[in-house]
Amino acid sequence: MMIEQPKSRHPKLEDFSYPLRTISNGYTFVTKYGNEIDLTFSKVGFSLEDIIYYPEADIDIYEFQFERRKFISKKHDIKVSLTILKGAIEYLNKNRVLFFTADSPTQKDLELFKLYDRWYEKYVNKKYVTKLNRIVHLGTNNIYFSCYIRDDFIFSKNKVNSLFDILLLEIYPRSTLSEFNI
């Protein structure tokens, strides 16, 4: 099943985004100002099936990041966020994956975490993609995570919640978790 774009007042991603070029671990694109941006998906060393057994848990786990490979202009360009989102959705459509974003405990990264949330709320059809937010409390640090998964992979959102928590506690065994509502 392909993820459909929302029927709303918002632009269609294909119409207002840059062309994506496939690279070995994701996509890359060039903006009208000459900035080059990579969208990468790095496989985590285990799958959901390795952590807990559910018959439908044969899903690989990836960390999603984007970075400017070449930075020429600081001018705001709305097509950048739409292209990043388009790449994430294309990756979900082509691969049986769960992916997450993780940010280190700085104010800048908290803003990036909030930015991902705004993109999701504005442009993603929630009928097909579930997004969960968590804060991992590790000592005096808070690390912000979001999880994205196609709804047709898991039977219930409660299972997705518990699998995400299990995943984070596996990665950070001496941590505690809390939900983060933006």
Side-chain angles (χ1 to χ4, degrees), residues 102-110 136 138 140-144:
D103 296 307
S104 56
T106 67
Q107 185 62 34
K108 180 181 176 188
D109 290 326
L110 177 57
V136 174
L138 189 61
T140 59
N141 293 322
N142 293 327
I143 306 170
Y144 304 94

Side-chain angles (χ1 to χ4, degrees), residues 46-58 61 159 162-164 166-167 170:
F46 48 84
S47 71
L48 285 181
E49 207 171 33
D50 295 332
I51 299 170
I52 190 164
Y53 178 75
Y54 284 119
E56 63 274 7
D58 182 22
I61 303 167
K159 271 189 195 173
S162 61
L163 289 172
F164 188 41
I166 291 166
L167 166 67
E170 181 78 16

Side-chain angles (χ1 to χ4, degrees), residues 14 46 52 71 78 92 108 114 140 147 159-160 175:
E14 303 81 37
F46 48 84
I52 190 164
F71 188 65
I78 185 64
L92 275 176
K108 180 181 176 188
K114 290 178 181 179
T140 59
C147 166
K159 271 189 195 173
V160 174
S175 66

Side-chain angles (χ1 to χ4, degrees), residues 120-133:
Y120 175 80
E121 290 301 322
K122 190 170 182 180
Y123 298 112
V124 175
N125 190 335
K126 282 82 173 162
K127 181 177 175 184
Y128 299 106
V129 177
T130 294
K131 177 180 178 285
L132 303 171
N133 295 320

